């Protein structure tokens, strides 16, 4: 037993995310996401244009030195609008998926840990919502709440909840039967201690990774709602709404639809690739054994 | 009122599991532990031995109230555990602890050894005196440096020592040891057994020791309970008592002696353990027993006293003057 | 000259040497016990004999495995296949996974005979039932049609043995065939294997970590420690006068009838892993008789009257009881 190796707590460099960044695809995909997030946050400093100031004389300009990605039908700089759109896309999808993961974990953990009637009730509702496609659930909810950012966020949160609840429940049920849970109750541990100290910490990683992957889907869902005019309302830029207005101008000014589409596509692919890199490093037990 | 001699008294404990009742499976019920009574006196080691599935672990869980019995009572130091409110039961747990069979799954993989051994204190809301962890690790023969390692970094024997340290943390009176060495090499098994003996002497512990290895139980225990399909078939007052039940005899004959001079050339038992889901009407052992009569097939024998502390459940017990079959 | 001769066999993966200079022999009608703690290299030795090392990415790096005077390490895969299953049968450490859950067990036994002996389906079938009956499986014709999940552990183990016997092998290598079974069932299976060897003149390499099983049925014993051979002797001599301190300690770990409490102490420490083999004698950190030479020099093989020991200070009969 080498004291040095065994006494170290898992260093930051051993963290799942750090290990994902050390793989090639992980570095490229993660790099794009970090860049996009920074650019979205600092959009107001990065570009000389405003996203909502119309300049009809410059409408339909193709990509040029002054407008790198061209302008739209109202002469607004496309790059600027894509960066501001990223704010909406990223924050809406990240926040809604975050809420969805949280709520899904609470429901799934309660169902999996306590079992019995509570489990049957939660499982029935979840299975019901699981049997509809996410887009349908989202459309119904937006129809009820009304279009806009809030509606979109509620729709995404609810649409993905079933997925996380199911995953958490399965994880919790598997871990519940491990002997260390029995050992903890043998020590006199309360339900709260068992849930928060043993079950959730062991169950959480796969749920977070699937949350990460779902964020990609949520971006598409947000864009879809935007495309149908149900997402963020004008003049707030959203990738979906931008593409929607670009469809009519596909031949006249193809850049209006191409660049927002490209941004969305690259982002979603990056999220998936980064998620895969995370999954590859998931097993805590794969760390070396010391003698 | 506390019992002066017995720390643990188990009375007619029964546990039934219901399973199936699915769309295509009919509901089935099986009795994993049936009508088990036994008393463990303070400072003694009582062994429970039997083959896989005979209900040893279920019995251990019932004793510690990790499972609710279908019937029967467990008195620990005069307290009826079944009558305790959940809160009081949690408090009472500090005096009775368990060491588990599988040293791999009994430690949370995300806890450091320090956290594992410190958990009893957190859970019972007790202050952890500085140096107590190191003291506990030292007590089970582990170096203090491993405190910050994770379970997967330890060998099976080291993990099992950690399990013992965790069980000892709150200074319990009773340890229930559920096959603590079954997954370890004999060399490590011997280390752990030695450790348990030393701890018992130094701390005045009482053990309920569960094993499938009759040889080991006869070495380690003062009194032995033999289980077959959920029920006690024999209770031996001392490890050297000659068994009267044919099953105990067969178990003894199946234990291979590490002495090439004492070879046996016949397996003592044919057939295998019947399914617990449909137990025969008579003696559960009848189908494999060479002494079985028609009575054994129709009537279930109950435990009868043969000598002081020696009980066996058999209509045709092996008499003292009978030679062992070979 | 034995039917199987393992001659200074070394096995490696990449640059790691997992087994070093393992040597023993088995003849027809004989049972060789291969013992040692977990991780000592027993399964690797078995895989080497069965020619299955490539499965785990390992290879023979030195030495020979002579079977009936053919060096198996020099054969290519297609010629090796003529031996494996046909003349050398292998029972793996986890026999429960050796059976296909979706096929009736009888057909799984048939396949072996049809493949290796070229029997027709009908002949193979009646032979299978015959073998199952010989293995004391009641109502073999019914069992023939059952699936693995319908059988108990002991029954499945017998089916695996039946598969091994179906090719009429000369040598069986059995890797811990009874470890997962109850003691009463283990006793049945060990007695069964013993009588097969005696009646049919098979050779058996029986891998186990149970010294009781070794004492009860083996003729000769090879003790492995950390990838090296510690000692090889006839079974009676090995138990009466073990020459290697490791063998001695291993025997002393088993509780015996009438043994005083407190007399079991175990072997301090644990088996080192491949990456942490100590220099000199690999057992020296755990050995009570070690001297400074043990820490630096690898002990060579010393001949015993009926065997061989690798230790700088082998025990003689008097020390055994001292
Ligand atoms: N929670 C449960 N639900 C249903 N059946 C159970 C449950 N726990 C145990 N059993 C059954 O009860 C019987 C006894 O199990 P138990 O684990 O007590 O046996 P054991 O003697 O400890 O065996 P082993 O030596 O294999 O550990 C088994 O047939 C088992 O399948
Ligand atoms: N594929 C592999 N790569 C690297 N090391 C290996 C590999 N297979 C086995 N080893 C190592 O070789 C050593 C011997 O392994 P082996 O499986 O032969 O042990 P064994 O004696 O059969 O143990 P057990 O009683 O646990 O079955 C072990 O230390 C093991 O870690
Ligand atoms: S060589 Fe030395 S260390 Fe190794 S077993 Fe012999 S006496 Fe012990
Ligand atoms: Mg058990
Ligand atoms: Mg092995």
């Amino acid at each position: 037993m080498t004291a040095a190796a065994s006494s170290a707590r898992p260093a930051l460099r051993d963290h799942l995310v750090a290990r994902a960044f050390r793989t090639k695809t992980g570095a490229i995909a993660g790099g794009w996401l970090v860049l996009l997030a920074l650019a979205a946050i600092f959009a107001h400093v990065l570009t000389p244009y405003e996203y909502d100031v119309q300049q009809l004389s410059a409408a339909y300009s193709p990509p040029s030195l002054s407008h790198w990605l061209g302008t739209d039908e109202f002469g607004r700089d496309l790059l600027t609008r894509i960066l501001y759109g990223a704010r909406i896309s990223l924050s809406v999808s990240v926040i809604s998926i975050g809420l969805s993961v949280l709520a899904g974990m609470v429901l799934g953990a309660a169902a999996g840990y306590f079992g019995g009637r509570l489990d049957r009730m939660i499982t029935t509702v979840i299975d019901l919502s699981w049997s509809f496609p996410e887009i349908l659930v989202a459309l119904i909810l937006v129809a009820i709440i009304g279009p806009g950012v809030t509606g979109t966020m509620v729709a995404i949160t609810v649409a993905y909840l079933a997925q996380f609840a199911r995953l958490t429940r399965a994880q919790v049920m598997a871990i519940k039967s491990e002997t260390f849970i029995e050992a903890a109750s043998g020590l006199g541990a309360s339900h709260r201690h068992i849930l928060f100290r043993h079950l959730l910490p062991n169950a959480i990683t796969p749920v977070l990774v699937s949350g990460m992957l779902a964020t990609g889907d949520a971006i598409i869902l947000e864009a879809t709602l935007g495309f149908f005019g149900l997402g963020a309302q004008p003049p707030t830029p959203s990738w979906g709404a931008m593409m929607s207005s670009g469809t009519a101008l596909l031949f006249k000014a193809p850049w209006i639809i191409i660049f927002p589409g490209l941004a969305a596509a690259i982002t979603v692919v990056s999220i998936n690739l980064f998620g895969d890199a995370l999954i590859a490093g998931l097993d805590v037990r794969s760390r070396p054994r010391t003698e | 009122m506390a019992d002066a001699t017995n720390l643990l008294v188990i009375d007619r404990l029964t546990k039934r599991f219901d399973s199936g009742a699915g769309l295509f499976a009919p509901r089935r019920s099986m009795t994993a532990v049936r009508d088990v009574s036994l008393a463990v006196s303070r400072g003694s080691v009582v062994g429970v031995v039997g083959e896989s599935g005979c209900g040893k672990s279920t019995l251990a869980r019932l004793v510690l109230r990790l499972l609710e019995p279908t019937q029967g009572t467990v008195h620990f130091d005069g307290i009826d555990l079944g009558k305790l409110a959940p809160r009081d039961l949690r408090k009472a747990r500090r005096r009775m602890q368990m060491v588990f069979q599988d040293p791999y799954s009994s430690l949370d993989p995300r806890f450091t050894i320090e956290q594992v051994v410190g958990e009893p204190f957190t859970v019972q809301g007790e202050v952890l005196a500085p140096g107590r962890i190191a003291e506990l690790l030292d007590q089970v023969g582990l170096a203090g440096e491993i405190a910050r390692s994770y379970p997967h970094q330890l060998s099976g024997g080291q993990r099992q020592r950690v399990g013992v340290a965790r069980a000892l943390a709150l200074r319990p009176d009773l340890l229930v040891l559920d096959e603590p060495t079954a997954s370890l090499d004999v060399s490590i098994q011997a280390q752990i057994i030695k450790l348990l003996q030393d701890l018992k002497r130094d701390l005045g512990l009482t053990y309920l020791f569960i094993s499938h290895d009759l040889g080991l139980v006869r070495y380690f225990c003062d009194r032995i309970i033999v289980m077959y399909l959920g029920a006690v078939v024999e209770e031996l007052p001392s490890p050297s008592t000659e068994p009267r039940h044919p099953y105990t005899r067969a178990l003894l004959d199946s234990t291979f002696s590490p002495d090439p001079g004492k070879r046996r050339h016949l397996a003592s038992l044919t057939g295998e353990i019947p399914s617990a889901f449909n137990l025969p009407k008579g003696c559960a052992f009848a189908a494999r027993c060479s002494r079985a009569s028609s009575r054994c097939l129709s009537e279930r024998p109950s435990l009868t006293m043969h000598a002081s502390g020696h009980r066996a459940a058999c209509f045709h017990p092996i008499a003292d003057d009978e030679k062992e079959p070979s | 000259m034995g039917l199987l001769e393992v001659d200074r066999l070394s096995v490696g993966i990449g640059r790691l040497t997992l087994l070093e200079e393992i040597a023993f022999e088995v003849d027809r009608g004989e049972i060789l016990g291969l013992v040692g703690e977990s991780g000592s290299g027993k399964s690797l030795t078995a895989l080497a004999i069965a020619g299955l090392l490539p499965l785990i990415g390992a290879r023979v790096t030195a030495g020979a495995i002579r079977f009936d005077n053919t060096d198996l390490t020099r054969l290519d895969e297609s010629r090796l296949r003529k031996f494996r299953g046909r003349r050398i049968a292998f029972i793996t450490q986890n026999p429960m996974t050796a059976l296909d859950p979706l096929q009736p067990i009888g057909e799984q036994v048939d396949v072996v005979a049809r493949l290796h002996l070229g029997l027709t389906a009908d002949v193979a079938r009646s032979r299978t039932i015959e073998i199952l009956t010989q293995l004391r499986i009641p109502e073999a014709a019914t069992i023939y049609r059952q699936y693995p999940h319908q059988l108990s552990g002991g029954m499945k183990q017998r089916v695996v043995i039946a598969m091994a016997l179906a090719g009429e092998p000369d040598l069986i290598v059995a890797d811990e065939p009874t470890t997962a079974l109850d003691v009463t069932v283990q006793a049945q299976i060990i007695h069964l294997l013993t009588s097969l060897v005696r009646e049919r003149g098979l050779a058996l390499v029986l891998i186990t970590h149970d010294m009781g099983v070794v004492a009860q049925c083996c003729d000769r014993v090879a003790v492995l420690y950390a990838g090296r051979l510690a000692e090889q002797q006839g079974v009676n001599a090995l138990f009466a006068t073990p020459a290697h301190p490791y063998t001695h300690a291993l025997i002393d770990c088993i509780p015996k009838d009438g043994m005083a409490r407190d007399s079991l102490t175990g072997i301090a420490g644990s088996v080192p892993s491949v990456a942490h083999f100590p220099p000199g004698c690999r057992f020296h950190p755990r050995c009570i008789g070690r001297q400074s030479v043990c820490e630096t020099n690898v002990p060579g093989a010393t001949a015993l009257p009926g065997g061989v020991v690798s230790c700088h200070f082998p025990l003689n009969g008097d020390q055994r009881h001292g």
Side-chain angles (χ1 to χ4, degrees), chain B residues 188-241:
Chain B
I188 313 296
Q189 161 171 296
Q191 288 174 21
I192 300 280
I193 294 295
K194 173 86 167 69
L195 170 71
L196 291 172
Q197 277 172 336
D198 292 347
L199 288 171
K200 179 178 173 302
R201 194 189 50 229
D202 298 344
L203 305 174
L205 295 166
T206 304
Y207 290 155
L208 185 62
F209 181 81
I210 292 172
S211 175
H212 63 265
D213 182 346
L214 187 54
L216 183 62
V217 166
R218 297 221 304 171
Y219 167 76
F220 187 52
C221 301
D222 304 316
R223 225 145 53 75
I224 300 171
I225 310 286
V226 182
M227 286 179 76
Y228 189 74
L229 280 170
V232 174
V233 295
E234 182 156 21
E235 191 180 328
L236 301 166
S238 90
S240 54
T241 312

Side-chain angles (χ1 to χ4, degrees), chain C residues 244-245 281 283-284 287 289-290 294 299 311-313:
Chain C
H244 199 286
C281 170
F283 185 58
H284 85 253
C287 180
R290 67 163 174 266
C294 306
C311 171
H312 292 299
F313 306 100

Side-chain angles (χ1 to χ4, degrees), chain C residues 286-308:
Chain C
R286 303 175 76 190
C287 180
I288 45 171
R290 67 163 174 266
Q291 315 257 341
S292 56
V293 60
C294 306
E295 290 161 24
T296 50
N297 295 11
V298 177
T302 314
L304 297 168
V308 54

Side-chain angles (χ1 to χ4, degrees), chain A residues 185-264:
Chain A
S185 45
L187 293 171
S190 57
H191 289 315
R192 208 181 68 197
H193 177 92
I194 292 177
L195 259 171
F196 289 100
R197 295 303 303 279
H198 293 289
L199 282 173
L200 288 178
N202 279 288
I204 202 167
T205 319
V207 184
L208 289 185
V209 171
S210 90
M212 164 91 200
L213 291 173
T215 310
D217 298 347
I219 289 177
I220 297 176
L221 186 55
E222 190 270 342
T224 311
L225 292 175
F227 191 89
F228 292 123
L230 300 171
Q233 294 302 300
T236 313
S238 111
W239 291 352
M242 287 161 77
M243 284 188 263
S244 162
S245 63
T247 36
L249 306 160
L250 191 56
F251 298 103
K252 190 170 179 202
W255 53 90
I256 300 181
I257 186 167
I258 286 175
F259 289 118
L262 218 53

Side-chain angles (χ1 to χ4, degrees), chain B residues 14-168:
Chain B
T14 297
K15 179 69 189 179
R16 216 174 27 244
F17 288 113
D18 295 317
S19 73
L23 201 49
F24 301 106
R27 190 182 196 81
R28 304 205 295 174
S29 103
M30 62 100 68
T31 309
V33 167
R34 177 186 331 185
D35 225 3
V36 172
S37 302
L38 73 101
V40 181
S41 62
R42 288 168 205 277
S44 69
V45 183
V46 172
V48 177
V49 66
E51 290 176 278
S52 175
C54 74
K56 305 183 295 293
S57 298
T58 307
L59 179 65
R61 294 191 175 103
L62 289 173
V63 166
L64 296 180
R65 207 105 191 155
L66 291 166
L67 271 180
E68 288 287 309
T70 312
Q71 248 165 50
T73 58
V74 179
H75 281 82
F76 176 79
D77 204 10
I79 306 162
D80 184 348
L81 296 181
K83 294 224 168 81
L84 292 182
R87 257 185 78 90
D88 299 328
L89 180 62
R90 284 216 301 275
K91 287 261 173 277
R93 291 200 183 286
R94 51 180 312 147
R95 297 189 53 202
M96 39 186 216
Q97 284 296 311
M98 176 142 161
V99 177
F100 295 87
Q101 171 167 358
D102 182 359
Y104 291 88
S105 77
S106 61
L107 308 179
D108 189 327
R110 309 187 72 91
F111 274 34
T112 61
I113 300 311
E114 197 168 17
Q115 288 172 315
V116 170
V117 181
E119 186 173 22
F121 300 96
T122 327
V123 155
Q124 292 284 349
E126 238 185 66
V127 273
L128 177 58
R132 180 78 176 118
I133 302 269
E135 190 185 321
L136 281 165
L137 290 177
D138 182 59
Q139 210 161 40
V140 297
L142 289 173
E145 296 109 66
I146 76 158
R148 313 193 97 199
S149 341
Y150 284 87
H152 72 268
Q153 296 171 314
L154 308 187
S155 69
Q158 286 174 317
R159 283 161 176 249
Q160 201 53 291
R161 283 168 194 265
V162 171
V164 175
R166 171 175 63 188
L168 290 177

Side-chain angles (χ1 to χ4, degrees), chain B residues 51 187 191 218 263 272, chain C residues 37 152 184 218 257 261 267:
Chain B
E51 290 176 278
S187 58
Q191 288 174 21
R218 297 221 304 171
R263 286 200 177 184
E272 283 162 54
Chain C
E37 286 166 274
S152 69
T184 54
C218 295
D257 264 2
R261 292 273 171 90
I267 312 176

